Amino acid sequence: MLRQPSPFLSLDRRSLLRGALGAGVIGALPARAAEPSGVAFKSDPFTLGVASGDPAPDGFVLWTRLAPEPLKARGGMSSQPVEVSVEIADDPAMTRIVRTVSEIARLELAHSVHAEIEGLAPGRDYFYRFRAGGAESPIGRARTLPAAGDSLSQIRFAAAGCQRWEDGYYTAWRAIADDKLDFVFHYGDYIYEYAHTEVTGRDKQPAPRTMPADFPACFTLTDYRRRYALYKTDADLQAAHASCPFLPSFDDHEFANNWAADSDPKRTPADAFLFRRAMALQAWYEHMPVRRAQLPRGPDVRAYRGFRFGSLLDVAVLDTRQYRSRQPCGDGFLAGCAEADDESRTMLGSAQEQWLAERLKQGKATWQVLAQQVMFAQFDWRGFPFVKETAAPIIDLDTWNGATAGRARVTAMLEAAGIANPVVLTGDLHRALAMELRRDWRDPASPCFGVEFLSTSISSFGDGPATDADRATMLRNNPHVKFFSDKRGYTRHTVTPAQWQADFRTVDSTATPGQPVRTAQTLVVEAGRPGLISR
């Protein structure tokens, strides 16, 4: 019996999904949107907290989502639009209100609010709160970017991410809140898409905390919305969001493990996976303090963007998932994958590569940052218990080591633009590493042209202890690595015109809340002298 061809095959997949978006199928507002009416909340609608993000010299984005019953499909909200007022003050007690704006929270976007505030003074703190239906949110702190070219004495920020709920408590987020930083770069894995489980880790130990039993693996918009809502109920995460602006990115688990472009490791047909990607992207937008420019169009979003902190720091937030080549040789940790070196392979795609090259040419800051998701440096995984021993280096094909030509093009961009102090920020691996970027990664005498700070996870992977055997093997095979830890935590960065200081902060344990957070190692880079110095 002959099968009829799929109707999808006669249409461009993204055109189809954009058409669905325009028809109101995926996240669109109706042609005749209902007008908001008066509402009185019987319980707190601000259960998911507040956040600021994506700052500019004259403003920032302020976010919240109305959800009096956050784990319900609609957050306990009706279909009625709700008017939300936003107050901005120049003091933490909110006694000097400098701006009040009104936003409409609608069901189509999960009653989320993305208020884009403009017209404020550069380089200073502001404070904000939301009001709706007689309820008042907590107060948050936001901060505008410095004016273009401003000379700054210091910027302090954190790089953090990978926060699987079951793997432990978010003690590191509370420490970040207490640090009172200028911003946080969230490199991704804000949620994990897996189904409910009561065990965690390779050794299947009881999970420190579990999701409700009715949480399946995320495939639908409702699944993803509920997952974000659960994670955002955490008080420590809420405190971090309220403490300073975030620059949010995403990696794989906001969608599906190790996805690449229009595919996932299960080889789901592209048409089906792109619909899942559209659902995941909408939920990401609904829960992140990002601008309307990041509103997805079906399965696509412009997630790469840049932020300039005066003449001190220029941050390019990259997207290493949407436009990348599919992982070579079937993915995994392998040796001898010649496909990884194919000249056509990319992590960023041609349009993003062109955008980055132009931005680097225009960059005049002392420090140029590539804020992204997966390991940039070369790395040999031999000696780790989860890989087989071989004579040849073992590489992780989900990282830039699976697209070496793409890495070479970015390295050439840095050279062509004359970038003296490049710094790469990364996450993903649930370990902390500090690495020197060298022409020949196996030769400590090879010229160093930059550094990479790879932050460990907030909770993902649990309390796996750092083993002396792993560390010794790793350092022997990777002499460009100057620090390694597999504890949980984050990296705190203090940047001045003279030096970059990275404090690797670790949590004693994520199995119980409120554990101490300590600085395991401090490393410094001196401006104009690429290389890592231990302090």
Side-chain angles (χ1 to χ4, degrees), residues 231-253:
Y231 279 50
K232 281 184 166 288
T233 59
D234 186 272
D236 294 336
L237 177 57
Q238 288 189 17
H241 270 298
S243 71
C244 68
F246 272 49
L247 311 183
S249 186
F250 54 73
D251 193 17
D252 54 339
H253 288 290

Side-chain angles (χ1 to χ4, degrees), residues 96-117:
R96 299 189 298 272
I97 304 296
V98 299
R99 185 75 51 80
T100 300
V101 300
S102 180
E103 297 284 334
I104 305 299
R106 300 183 185 277
L107 176 63
E108 289 83 358
L109 292 177
H111 286 97
S112 62
V113 174
H114 297 75
E116 297 190 17
I117 308 302

Side-chain angles (χ1 to χ4, degrees), residues 16-80:
L16 176 70
L17 287 168
R18 291 193 188 100
L21 179 66
V25 176
I26 305 171
L29 298 181
R32 293 185 178 181
E35 293 301 317
S37 61
V39 61
F41 288 106
K42 297 179 181 179
S43 60
D44 180 17
F46 299 108
T47 57
L48 306 184
V50 300
S52 69
D54 280 21
D58 70 338
F60 30 69
V61 178
L62 299 179
W63 173 92
T64 194
R65 179 189 164 199
L66 305 179
E69 297 176 276
L71 301 191
K72 287 194 172 182
R74 294 184 172 185
M77 298 291 292
S78 72
S79 61
Q80 188 65 35

Side-chain angles (χ1 to χ4, degrees), residues 304 316 318 345-363 368-370 376 400 403-422 424 439 449:
Y304 60 89
L318 304 181
R345 296 190 59 75
T346 181
M347 290 293 283
L348 303 179
S350 58
Q352 187 177 189
E353 283 188 6
Q354 183 177 356
W355 171 85
L356 178 59
E358 290 301 317
R359 184 173 183 86
L360 291 174
K361 290 177 184 177
Q362 298 167 9
Q368 175 64 60
V369 178
L370 306 184
F376 186 84
W400 288 81
T404 59
R407 177 171 58 205
R409 288 192 294 273
V410 172
T411 302
M413 291 176 199
L414 295 169
E415 285 185 351
I419 302 299
N421 300 299
V424 180
R439 298 290 177 205
F449 64 89

Side-chain angles (χ1 to χ4, degrees), residues 14 255 259 261 273-281 299-300 322:
R14 287 177 174 79
F255 302 72
W259 70 278
F273 179 73
L274 285 171
F275 271 100
R276 184 183 186 186
R277 198 174 101 175
M279 305 300 170
L281 272 176
D300 301 320
Q322 276 193 98

Side-chain angles (χ1 to χ4, degrees), residues 161-241:
C162 293
Q163 54 198 55
R164 191 179 182 202
W165 181 269
E166 299 92 329
D167 285 354
Y169 291 89
Y170 292 171
T171 306
W173 280 126
R174 179 65 63 172
I176 288 172
D178 293 341
D179 282 338
K180 295 179 172 55
L181 303 168
D182 292 295
F183 69 94
V184 169
F185 166 56
H186 196 296
Y187 52 73
D189 291 350
Y190 196 99
I191 63 166
Y192 280 68
E193 81 285 12
Y194 301 133
H196 164 86
T197 180
E198 295 184 358
V199 296
T200 188
R202 290 191 177 91
D203 53 359
K204 302 300 181 184
Q205 293 297 308
R209 56 180 181 176
T210 59
M211 297 186 298
D214 64 341
F215 270 51
C218 294
F219 285 89
T220 71
L221 182 55
T222 294
D223 294 337
Y224 285 109
R225 282 173 169 170
R226 293 183 72 211
R227 192 64 54 91
Y228 277 100
L230 173 67
Y231 279 50
K232 281 184 166 288
T233 59
D234 186 272
D236 294 336
L237 177 57
Q238 288 189 17
H241 270 298

